[in-house]
Amino acid sequence: MEKPSPTFMALKSVLIGAVALSVLLPLLVVVSTSFASDEQLRAAGGYVLFPTDPTLRAYETLFTSPLIFRALGVSAFVTVVGTLMALFVTICMAYALSRPVLLGRPMLMAIILTLFFSPGLIPLYLMIKELHLLNTVWALILPGLFAGFNFIVMRSFFMGIPSELLEAARIDGASDFRILFSIVLPLSKAVIAVIGLFYAVGFWNSFFNALLYINDQNLWPIQLILRSYVVQGSSLSADQLGVQQAPPPQSIKMAVVVVALVPILLVYPFLQKYFSKGVITGAIKG
């Protein structure tokens, strides 16, 4: 391959820089606005690029507010419990259908069909209602407990594990559960980390299930509050926040955005080294 010309490298650098700036600039505005003082917000018209007199008042209000604290607790519970349960279900099904079984192909086709056809909102709502899950946190967990795409990636990864290794363990008297937990899972840390990240991001960012199934504001996750008070333009009053005097609405809204983003931003760097390896290997094997 020919070495790229200096002109091409310069154009590519400018293009990449422009894309990076278009991503980072809105994020900088959100963070800066959340730290801005009342006077600077009024002078700037609601959005600040660089806070001249930064203050933590908006964050102090959020973390002392019962509404926001409960929402963060609900989101954390749904994300942790939902991710663990979803991983358990996906791992068990992927391992079972990665082995030669009699009913494996019909079940696999049924799972693949879920990638093309959804059950519909009304039947899903009626099912949740009949199971008496309305206004419970389980209505935020159980509908997202299984994803066909994640299953296919994990099954493909399991099928890439040498069958001779599994057969040797079976000859030594190991059961399927022993093979799964002692051999398959230690060899599959990359794909488990990636699928776990997929599920965690999905549970943390989900607000639609809460919008459908949750009427009790005490069970709202942080993303539903983000949608209600940021996207729809509603304002958080002092009574809703549980404080005597609330900071400016724009500062509170941007602080909610930052609080909703930070947990995933903190988790992703620890799983980044597994990301490409898990997805690529799970996609090409089998």
Side-chain angles (χ1 to χ4, degrees):
M1 297 179 62
E2 296 182 1
K3 185 178 179 179
S5 63
T7 303
F8 176 78
M9 294 298 295
L11 290 175
K12 185 168 70 170
S13 300
V14 171
L15 179 61
I16 294 176
V19 172
L21 186 62
S22 67
V23 174
L24 293 177
L25 188 59
L27 183 60
L28 178 61
V29 170
V30 169
V31 176
S32 299
T33 303
S34 69
F35 285 106
S37 61
D38 302 1
E39 295 78 10
Q40 190 176 9
L41 284 173
R42 285 193 293 266
Y47 293 97
V48 174
L49 186 58
F50 296 106
T52 56
D53 187 17
T55 175
L56 294 175
R57 186 183 170 197
Y59 293 96
E60 292 173 354
T61 302
L62 285 185
F63 287 109
T64 56
S65 165
L67 175 65
I68 303 299
F69 196 76
R70 282 195 304 265
L72 287 173
V74 171
S75 292
F77 177 83
V78 169
T79 301
V80 173
V81 176
T83 300
L84 293 177
M85 293 177 64
L87 278 177
F88 178 78
V89 172
T90 305
I91 287 171
C92 291
M93 290 192 64
Y95 174 72
L97 295 181
S98 66
R99 302 298 101 199
V101 293
L102 182 61
L103 299 178
R105 186 171 295 275
M107 292 182 63
L108 181 60
M109 293 302 300
I111 293 173
I112 292 176
L113 286 177
T114 63
L115 298 176
F116 302 98
F117 304 100
S118 61
L121 292 180
I122 295 178
L124 191 58
Y125 179 86
L126 293 176
M127 183 183 70
I128 296 297
K129 182 179 179 181
E130 291 299 321
L131 293 174
H132 304 287
L133 296 177
L134 294 179
N135 284 321
T136 66
V137 293
W138 299 109
L140 307 178
I141 295 176
L142 297 181
L145 207 59
F146 181 80
F149 173 79
N150 296 339
F151 160 81
I152 291 174
V153 172
M154 187 166 289
R155 175 180 176 271
S156 299
F157 193 96
F158 287 169
M159 292 180 68
I161 297 176
S163 58
E164 294 82 2
L165 184 62
L166 307 184
E167 290 299 327
R170 195 178 302 277
I171 292 173
D172 290 338
S175 62
D176 284 321
F177 280 102
R178 182 63 182 273
I179 294 174
L180 174 61
F181 290 104
S182 298
I183 299 177
V184 175
L185 294 187
L187 296 175
S188 308
K189 293 179 181 178
V191 72
I192 292 174
V194 171
I195 299 303
L197 180 63
F198 285 166
Y199 277 123
V201 171
F203 280 116
W204 180 264
N205 288 335
S206 176
F207 70 90
F208 194 64
N209 286 343
L211 188 65
L212 287 178
Y213 309 129
I214 305 296
N215 296 321
D216 186 0
Q217 195 174 18
N218 292 328
L219 295 177
W220 279 12
I222 189 64
Q223 300 299 337
L224 188 55
I225 290 181
L226 184 66
R227 176 187 180 274
S228 300
Y229 297 107
V230 178
V231 178
Q232 290 185 328
S234 304
S235 60
L236 288 165
S237 64
D239 292 336
Q240 289 174 317
L241 290 171
V243 295
Q244 294 182 351
Q245 185 178 3
Q250 196 69 11
S251 180
I252 285 289
K253 290 177 181 180
M254 296 302 104
V256 173
V257 174
V258 174
V259 169
L261 285 175
V262 165
I264 296 301
L265 292 179
L266 292 178
V267 171
Y268 181 76
F270 296 100
L271 301 179
Q272 185 179 9
K273 63 180 180 179
Y274 299 110
F275 195 82
S276 299
K277 179 181 177 183
V279 172
I280 293 174
T281 307
I284 63 176
K285 285 190 176 181

